Amino acid sequence: MLLLQNLAQEAGVEELVSEEKTLSVIDLIVSGGTGSILIISVLFVMLFVALYIYFERIFAIKAASKIDSNFMNQIRDHVTNGKLEAAKLLCAQTDSPVARLTEKGISRIGKPLDDINTAIENAGTLEVYKLEKNVSVLATVAGAAPMIGFLGTVIGMILAFHQMASSGGQAEMGSLAAGIYTAMTTTVAGLIVGIIAYIGYNHLVNRTDKVVHKMEANAVEFLDLLNEPL
């Protein structure tokens, strides 16, 4: 009976210690004071913006990369047979950067090849600009978020040492430790947002490069078509 009582007491102590050590993320943010709440709020907004831009761009790039594998063969047949209007109509019905570049080239047929090439390059520059819209914001978030997090930590450390100085060096270690690890949450939050934005940025750049390479390959194929003897 005594053994059971001892075990129950030990279990109660362990449960109490576990409850005391448990601290939610919300408690960490709130207990950090106004500065911590403000900085975490800014980081949360930056995370939302980064995720919105990433998913909006990834769907746009995915749509831009879709094109019928038989598209250029149809263009070849129309141009070879002199059906330029049919080729333009096919390009207009195909919503992709490759189709728009090809349509720009078809509209310049009859002019010097250098003029056609220049027109395609200019149209390609505009298409790349559309693909990279707002992507630079992700790079900004990736660089700024960790620095904002570190700023929160520095502010928390300054406040902790100010409390120590104000108490003549007699401040309780518990209150100092609480302030320090709460301030560190801003660093963790900043790093998390920065890492997510950095990975998203590099993934978008990689996907954009693939679309650009496809545009260049099709542009070269179209120019080769114009150089072929009729």
Side-chain angles (χ1 to χ4, degrees):
M1 188 68 180
L2 183 59
L3 179 60
L4 292 176
Q5 291 178 349
N6 291 335
L7 291 176
Q9 290 177 354
E10 291 178 0
V13 171
E14 291 178 357
E15 183 178 354
L16 180 60
V17 172
S18 177
E19 291 178 354
E20 290 177 350
K21 290 183 178 180
T22 301
L23 187 62
S24 66
V25 175
I26 297 178
D27 292 335
L28 282 174
I29 296 173
V30 173
S31 62
T34 304
S36 177
I37 295 175
L38 179 61
I39 291 176
I40 294 294
S41 299
V42 171
L43 291 173
F44 179 79
V45 172
M46 294 175 70
L47 177 61
F48 175 80
V49 171
L51 291 176
Y52 173 81
I53 292 175
Y54 172 77
F55 285 108
E56 188 272 334
R57 284 293 85 200
I58 201 67
F59 287 128
I61 293 172
K62 185 177 180 180
S65 63
K66 288 182 178 180
I67 188 170
D68 186 3
S69 58
N70 199 38
F71 173 77
M72 288 306 298
N73 291 331
Q74 292 177 311
I75 293 295
R76 180 184 297 275
D77 293 338
H78 290 320
V79 173
T80 302
N81 296 324
K83 301 178 179 179
L84 299 184
E85 293 301 323
K88 291 180 181 179
L89 181 60
L90 177 61
C91 293
Q93 293 174 344
T94 306
D95 185 17
S96 71
V98 171
R100 287 188 284 271
L101 292 185
T102 304
E103 183 178 10
K104 181 65 68 174
I106 292 173
S107 65
R108 295 294 190 276
I109 289 180
K111 296 184 178 181
L113 195 60
D114 289 340
D115 293 345
I116 299 176
N117 187 28
T118 301
I120 293 177
E121 288 181 353
N122 293 336
T125 301
L126 294 177
E127 293 297 332
V128 172
Y129 175 78
K130 293 178 182 178
L131 291 174
E132 295 178 345
K133 180 182 177 182
N134 294 328
V135 174
S136 60
V137 176
L138 281 181
T140 302
V141 172
M147 290 190 290
I148 293 176
F150 288 136
L151 174 63
T153 298
V154 172
I155 292 175
M157 295 292 288
I158 290 174
L159 293 176
F161 283 109
H162 175 72
Q163 181 180 357
M164 181 183 294
S166 300
S167 60
Q170 301 298 320
E172 295 182 0
M173 292 303 298
S175 60
L176 291 178
I180 293 173
Y181 73 66
T182 301
M184 294 297 289
T185 58
T186 60
T187 299
V188 174
L191 289 174
I192 291 174
V193 175
I195 290 171
I196 292 174
Y198 181 76
I199 293 174
Y201 171 78
N202 281 282
H203 184 236
L204 289 179
V205 169
N206 184 49
R207 293 292 298 270
T208 302
D209 287 343
K210 290 182 180 179
V211 177
V212 172
H213 292 157
K214 184 179 293 186
M215 291 165 53
E216 292 175 347
N218 282 272
V220 171
E221 184 177 353
F222 177 76
L223 292 175
D224 289 342
L225 170 63
L226 298 182
N227 283 324
E228 291 179 359
L230 300 177

